Amino acid sequence: MKIAVIGQSLFGQEVYCQLRKEGHDVVGVFTIPDKDGKADPLGLAAEKDGVPVFKIPRWRARGQVLPDVLAKYQALGAELNVLPFCSQFIPMEVINGPRHGSIIYHPSLLPRHRGASAINWTLIHGDKKAGFTIFWADDGLDTGDLLLQKECEVLPDDTVSTLYNRFLFPEGIKGMVEAVRLIAEGTAIRLPQPEEGATYEGIQKKETARINWDQPAEAIHNWIRGNDKVPGAWTEACEQKLTFFNSTLNTSGLVPEGEALPIPGAHRPGVVTKAGLILFGNDDRMLLVKNIQLEDGRMLPASQFFKGGSSSALELTEAELATAEAVRSAWQRILPNVLEVEDSTDFFKSGAASVDVVRLVEEVKELCDGLELENEDVYMATTFGDFIQLLVRKLRGEDEENECVIDYVEKTVNKLVVRMPHQLFIGGKFTDGEGTETYDNINPTDGSVICQVSLAQVSDVDKAVAAAKDAFENGLWGKINARDRGRLLYRLADLMEQHQEELATIESLDAGAVYTLALKTHVGMSIQTFRYFAGWCDKIQGSTIPINQARPNRNLTLTKKEPIGVCGIIIPWNYPLMMLSWKTAACLAAGNTVVIKPAQVTPLTALKFAELTLKAGIPKGVVNILPGAGSPIGQRLLDHPDVRKIGFTGSTEVGKHIMKSCALSNLKKVSLELGGKSPLIIFADCDLSKAVQMGMSSVFFNKGENCIAAGRLFVEDSIHDQFVQKVVEEVGKMKIGDPLDRSTNHGPQNHEAHLKKLLEYCQRGVKEGATLVCGGHQVPRPGFFFEPTVFTDVEDHMFIAKEESFGPIMIISRFADGDMDAVLSRASATEFGLASGVFTRDISKALYVSDKLQAGTVFVNTYNKTDVAAPFGGFKQSGFGKDLGEEALNEYLRVKTVTFEY
């Protein structure tokens, strides 16, 4: 069907892309003009595809359609207008122009919340159900006949962002595509909107977002979350305008004790507590606000509003709650006059003397395995609740007296203030390496120095391993319940999500990752990985085994899956955070402790991750991170007698060395994800457009710095030339540039040495007789940019046919029509076996080929489709062992058999 897409935004872009994937002919895109020199995402996508784009500043003048605009539209011959998100008023001459009319997406369940700010008003009114409507446009304001509606539950603490990201955005895109499909099939309905229950609200603006305090707490909560993040619910207090974010009605267990915050018009003053700012409705119910924005734009935790405000109250694990109850009993014994010890019970006001302080300290030391506790600690935390918070912080290694001090490097970039730790992370503290030596960390976009990073020495490895061993054998990590361990990992994943823009920005600065890809894949999949393995923590189970009985006695045999101990993880530079997460999440879920050695050229997201482990409450020593040179630091990890497992991603050559060193040291368990030369076979009966699209992705995804990149494409002879022509056309459309620019889809190579290797690789290909169709050169601009490259006429004996480039270089070889077994033989004639792919419409052929390909992953009619639940790893010299999925846990567990006789 011929479609005109009218609108803007990423939502509009996704709808446009999905409609094209469905096979519809988008004859034109009408969008808004460029703003501050930046084009709208919808227009950018259409221009890239060669679809006509019209950037219309206005459609009407004095109520009448502009003739030249109407003429441009009518010349397209659209059969349907699709308006995914449109901020402009479109004339009825355009709305009614196509044969099928126009359909519009609206983010509410019409007729409720007609007009703008519909998501805000859904939350402000406390609706229990949210959703979206796709309706037939008419001359009213969101009054047209209904075509399709989908709904979801509104969660108690949903905000505009969470509701949009969880449901309205992803399901709305699917809904628009489904609506168009129904129209094309002739089954779309037109259901008149009822007027009963109809509401209309205007646009929410800052001046109208002031909080009305004369209402119940739930209504205030709904107002705050309905205006979070834009425009922000505000009030006046302390002689300035304060804007509140992150509100919740979940105040169970909170005591409104702290410093009062008088708020004019409020039923009661607010109270700044360790958990945040407690507010009150006119029904005396409480709500909690966790973040406050000051009038000068600074955002801070609500608990820190007053300078003396202390950090947020810790959420205690089950084991910590048990410890708290044991300590409560000690208080009860020391304070016999107190009927019941509550969080607010003050030790000294309840009659305790100095001798009782000594008794309490000694009893708590005995309860907590010799925990370092001083008499002064009791004087500093005189109430039971404060004492337990202090105690738990000490048990976790994060007591306020020794609170971790982080020396950040701050940069204002990507509209953010990015704060980057740059020191080693050992035993829960950031510290300089032995000798305080540092090295320059380079931005591959322009070759500038981002910051100085501490350079770990061999002695620092020993310190980190000692900290990890102590945390495993003596610390809280080995004592808490598996479910509590999972809760900490869930909390870590949540913190990573809260900092995802900052993490993605650091990844772009440090690794040259295109920001949009960093946000979705580098960081997004890292978050998913920790959430996935957090769920596994309490599901690691052994089994009971029937064995021959020792008659007349009986036997019971069972197996236990146990953590290995201290693990060393060595991370590559292509996906710094994601590779760390793939291994570390499984390692920690299994109950191990870890020393991580990130690539020397890309340490910054690993160090930011270390900071987030502190905030999540991961006990000190569980995670340790050592940036530095691979040879001395990695080698010491391999040789160290207290390290029991090594997980490595990198080259086959280094992997072989690791196996040898681990065998000679203490026979460490090893898992290796090594090099690849993944074959992608494209048969003539494939969907050629999809094969071109996925073939491009298989090579150029993440600038080709991708372990499963298709190292060699075998294209059936009858479509070879057409395939190459289409690939070259698509390569010409790729935008090479600043990875933080949202329109960039090809950023710089990771570092200069790698860029030089790619140049040498291409020179060798040309020298051996392969045809360089395009690319092959450094881009003439600052930084480490390399042109997307295509080679054809590549013969099996050539270096580039056998060796991995690890860059944006497509290697294409022909194979004779119908000669399936021959191409399979060629594809398998490699010592690598990490991944592979096949494109064909013939399911029998696809199954046969997937059986024959000797690789740990086979993609059929897709590529790069990895998932946290699917095991990932190679065959042959691409390594052994698995990341991701349940199988990854087994890499970090050992099985113990226990046999009883009775």
Side-chain angles (χ1 to χ4, degrees), residues 57 77-78 88 202 232 310 313 353 408 431 506 539 558 581 653 830:
Q88 298 174 312
S310 55
Y408 292 106
T431 180
I506 296 172
K539 301 171 187 68
L558 57 86
S581 300
E653 180 185 2
T830 173

Side-chain angles (χ1 to χ4, degrees), residues 327 329-338 346-365 373-379 381-382 387:
V327 174
S329 297
W331 275 53
Q332 195 75 65
R333 290 191 296 272
I334 295 171
L335 305 173
N337 296 327
V338 176
D346 189 284
F347 193 68
F348 297 102
K349 290 181 180 178
S350 300
S354 57
V355 66
D356 298 313
V357 173
V358 177
R359 178 182 170 185
L360 177 62
V361 167
E362 293 306 312
E363 285 205 31
V364 171
K365 282 183 178 180
L373 192 69
E374 305 293 337
N375 293 355
E376 189 65 20
D377 292 322
V378 183
Y379 292 106
T382 61
F387 184 75

Side-chain angles (χ1 to χ4, degrees), residues 688-742:
L688 185 58
S689 294
K690 185 175 183 181
V692 169
Q693 175 198 351
M694 301 307 297
M696 293 278 294
S697 175
S698 75
V699 176
F700 301 125
F701 189 83
N702 199 48
K703 311 163 292 174
E705 296 168 352
N706 188 18
C707 52
I708 57 172
R712 191 175 181 192
L713 279 67
F714 295 91
V715 183
E716 200 158 8
D717 194 65
S718 57
I719 63 167
H720 174 276
D721 293 349
Q722 188 180 4
F723 179 86
V724 172
Q725 179 186 350
K726 288 180 175 291
V727 163
V728 173
E729 289 173 358
E730 292 302 314
V731 168
K733 298 174 185 176
M734 294 174 68
K735 180 179 177 182
I736 303 171
D738 184 349
L740 291 171
D741 186 334
R742 302 307 191 267

Side-chain angles (χ1 to χ4, degrees), residues 15-42:
V15 170
Y16 157 81
C17 291
Q18 293 303 316
L19 288 175
R20 280 175 54 87
K21 285 182 181 178
E22 287 276 310
H24 297 291
D25 180 12
V26 178
V27 294
V29 165
F30 292 83
T31 188
I32 57 175
D34 296 356
K35 186 175 182 181
D36 298 327
K38 292 186 177 180
D40 183 79
L42 170 58

Side-chain angles (χ1 to χ4, degrees), residues 327-465:
V327 174
R328 192 189 302 272
S329 297
W331 275 53
Q332 195 75 65
R333 290 191 296 272
I334 295 171
L335 305 173
N337 296 327
V338 176
L339 295 177
E340 184 177 355
V341 174
E342 299 177 342
D343 284 358
S344 58
T345 300
D346 189 284
F347 193 68
F348 297 102
K349 290 181 180 178
S350 300
S354 57
V355 66
D356 298 313
V357 173
V358 177
R359 178 182 170 185
L360 177 62
V361 167
E362 293 306 312
E363 285 205 31
V364 171
K365 282 183 178 180
E366 188 173 350
L367 279 170
C368 299
D369 296 327
L371 173 76
E372 291 185 12
L373 192 69
E374 305 293 337
N375 293 355
E376 189 65 20
D377 292 322
V378 183
Y379 292 106
M380 294 297 292
T382 61
T383 68
F384 180 77
D386 288 346
F387 184 75
I388 291 298
Q389 288 286 308
L390 177 145
L391 188 62
V392 170
R393 289 186 187 279
K394 281 183 171 291
L395 287 168
R396 291 184 181 181
E398 51 180 273
D399 50 296
E400 292 185 7
E401 184 179 350
N402 297 309
E403 188 175 356
C404 182
V405 177
I406 304 176
D407 180 21
Y408 292 106
V409 171
E410 292 192 359
K411 287 188 178 295
T412 302
V413 61
N414 200 25
K415 299 181 179 179
L416 296 170
V417 177
V418 177
R419 307 179 77 204
M420 298 174 287
H422 60 102
Q423 297 170 292
L424 317 185
F425 184 69
I426 300 174
K429 296 180 180 179
F430 285 97
T431 180
D432 291 332
E434 187 78 27
T436 66
E437 191 175 345
T438 63
Y439 67 94
D440 290 345
N441 190 240
I442 304 299
N443 182 345
T445 300
D446 57 13
S448 64
V449 175
I450 301 171
C451 63
Q452 300 282 321
V453 176
S454 294
L455 185 70
Q457 306 297 318
V458 170
S459 58
D460 296 312
V461 180
D462 295 340
K463 294 174 187 175
V465 172

Side-chain angles (χ1 to χ4, degrees), residues 274-294:
K274 291 181 178 180
L277 172 63
I278 294 178
L279 301 170
F280 299 88
N282 62 10
D283 56 355
D284 271 333
R285 285 188 62 200
M286 298 190 300
L287 64 144
L288 181 71
V289 167
K290 297 180 182 178
N291 297 96
I292 298 176
Q293 186 176 40
L294 306 183

